[in-house]
């Protein structure tokens, strides 16, 4: 098949045709990638059940509580890190109990597309921490938010730490047990709201893959306030970052 370029040019020069033709070309260019995404992510959701990830991880209303809740995983972790983690969890965190599933590239790409799409929408209408049982206790409500949005996935259960990062001093994401010593409640709130990128340990090395997300993009002021109340409450009795 050959195109009559002169005819096409003549048509293009007619104002009425130029616009729809541009739209058609733009549509052809954008469609395949746009359409591929939900399909890939739906396949990932099927693998998530098929491989039993759901036995240990919750997404929205369903799943286990043995591993971190993944309802916000696409907000807190990048696709690059998710792929690295799924390739071999033990290579990133040697003492993790998450099994290595030896997933092939195709399965991993689908799981990463699915996980990357999970940005908290399942909790937006009915946040589990707005259950009446937490209403009167901001610390308990903060603890529930800490668990459900996945602060635990980086700072550990109860903020105890122990989770790796690359090219940062000490090689770890900070524990949060003693933040009450260094921050006022307002300072903690703005720390949580704004997030930050950790400083590189070796200035010539790669960027640290794990950053503190800007939670203000997804959580409300009262939720950030409850998180600060919770963090202030976890300081062990008698513990101090000063002296002996
Ligand atoms: C036996 C329970 C178990 C199974 C099954 C499991 N995981 Fe995990 N997963 C964990 C635990 C526990 C962690 C937290 C890491 C740690 O504390 O060692 C984790 C961490 C993760 C994280 C990082 C969470 C975060 O907040 O950063 C992702 C993503 C993840 N798992 C995805 C999966 C996927 C996908 C599957 C299925 C292919 C799966 N997991 C199967 C237990 C499990
Ligand atoms: C994706 C990983 C990740 C998640 C999830 C995460 N953080 Fe962080 N957080 C970090 C990193 C990395 C730092 C260190 C940042 C730096 O050095 O600039 C940090 C720092 C902090 C600090 C300051 C600690 C200090 O010693 O100064 C606080 C407070 C904090 N996070 C609270 C939270 C809360 C509350 C949540 C949940 C709403 C949360 N983080 C979720 C990675 C994470």
């Amino acid at each position: 098949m050959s195109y009559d370029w002169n005819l096409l040019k003549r048509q293009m020069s007619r104002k009425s045709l130029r616009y729809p033709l541009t739209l058609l070309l733009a549509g052809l260019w954008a469609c395949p990638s746009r359409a591929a995404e939900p399909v890939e992510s739906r396949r990932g959701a099927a693998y998530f059940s098929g491989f039993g990830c759901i036995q240990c991880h919750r997404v929205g209303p369903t799943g286990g509580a043995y591993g971190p809740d993944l309802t916000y995983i696409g907000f807190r972790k990048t696709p690059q890190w998710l792929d690295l983690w799924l390739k071999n969890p033990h290579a990133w965190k040697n003492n993790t109990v998450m099994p290595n599933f030896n997933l092939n590239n195709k399965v991993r790409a689908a799981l990463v597309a699915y996980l990357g799409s999970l940005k908290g929408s399942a909790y937006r209408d009915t946040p589990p921490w707005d259950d009446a049982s937490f209403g009167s206790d901001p610390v308990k409500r903060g603890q529930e938010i800490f668990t459900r949005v996945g602060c635990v996935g980086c700072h550990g259960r109860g903020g105890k730490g122990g989770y790796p990062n690359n090219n940062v001093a000490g090689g770890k994401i900070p524990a949060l047990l003693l933040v009450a010593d260094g921050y006022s409640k307002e300072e903690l709130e703005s720390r949580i709201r704004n997030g930050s990128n950790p400083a590189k340990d070796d200035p010539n090395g790669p960027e640290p893959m794990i950053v503190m997300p800007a939670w203000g993009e997804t959580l409300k002021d009262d939720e950030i306030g409850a998180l600060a109340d919770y963090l202030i409450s976890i300081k062990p009795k008698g513990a101090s970052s000063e002296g002996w």
Side-chain angles (χ1 to χ4, degrees):
M1 190 168 91
S2 72
Y3 291 102
D4 183 341
W5 290 107
N6 286 323
L7 180 67
L8 190 65
K9 251 192 256 167
R10 271 201 305 281
Q11 285 177 339
M12 284 289 277
S13 67
R14 276 165 53 193
K15 217 176 175 192
S16 60
L17 267 172
R18 207 180 293 154
Y19 183 61
L21 207 61
T22 312
L23 270 186
L24 179 72
L25 289 174
L28 283 175
W29 174 77
C31 259
S33 58
R34 287 250 181 85
E37 237 170 77
V39 172
E40 186 85 335
S41 152
R42 269 202 301 277
R43 278 202 300 127
Y47 288 133
F48 194 78
S49 314
F51 280 101
C53 317
I54 196 124
Q55 303 299 324
C56 288
H57 292 287
R58 178 187 273 276
V59 174
T62 49
Y66 190 71
D69 187 318
L70 298 180
T71 307
Y72 281 82
I73 189 70
F75 176 77
R76 62 184 187 256
K77 294 277 171 79
T78 61
Q80 291 76 7
W81 183 86
L82 288 170
D83 189 58
L84 192 76
W85 175 255
L86 293 180
K87 241 179 218 163
N88 180 5
H90 305 271
W92 181 264
K93 186 176 191 279
N94 57 18
N95 64 349
T96 186
V97 290
M98 174 157 152
N100 182 358
F101 289 83
N102 296 303
L103 304 166
N104 69 33
N105 292 349
K106 195 171 149 239
V107 173
R108 237 173 36 245
L111 279 168
V112 169
Y114 171 59
L115 295 171
S117 76
L118 302 175
K119 297 188 172 167
S121 61
Y123 287 164
R124 210 143 288 152
D125 291 340
T126 44
W129 50 87
D130 282 357
D131 190 86
S133 58
F134 301 112
S136 55
D137 188 341
V139 169
K140 275 221 173 106
R141 183 163 176 262
Q143 179 174 28
E144 186 70 6
I145 301 172
F146 193 82
T147 306
R148 293 304 194 96
V149 305
C151 314
V152 282
C154 287
H155 294 291
R157 279 180 203 270
K160 288 197 189 73
Y163 283 70
N165 203 353
N166 64 298
N167 199 21
V168 295
K172 292 267 160 45
I173 301 168
L176 301 178
L177 290 175
L178 297 177
V179 288
D181 286 346
Y183 295 90
S184 67
K185 182 176 174 190
E186 289 70 28
E187 287 166 346
L188 261 183
E189 287 173 339
S190 80
R191 194 77 182 75
I192 298 166
R193 188 174 294 120
N194 299 325
S196 63
N197 294 7
K200 288 186 191 181
D201 190 25
D202 169 7
N204 301 317
E207 286 296 332
M209 291 187 82
I210 307 290
V211 306
M212 169 67 181
W215 290 97
E217 289 169 14
T218 188
L219 296 179
K220 299 191 216 101
D221 283 349
D222 67 296
E223 294 167 337
I224 290 173
L227 280 165
D229 286 331
Y230 168 63
L231 290 184
I232 288 164
S233 81
I234 62 178
K235 183 181 162 181
K237 289 209 167 54
S240 164
S241 55
E242 289 162 22
W244 299 99

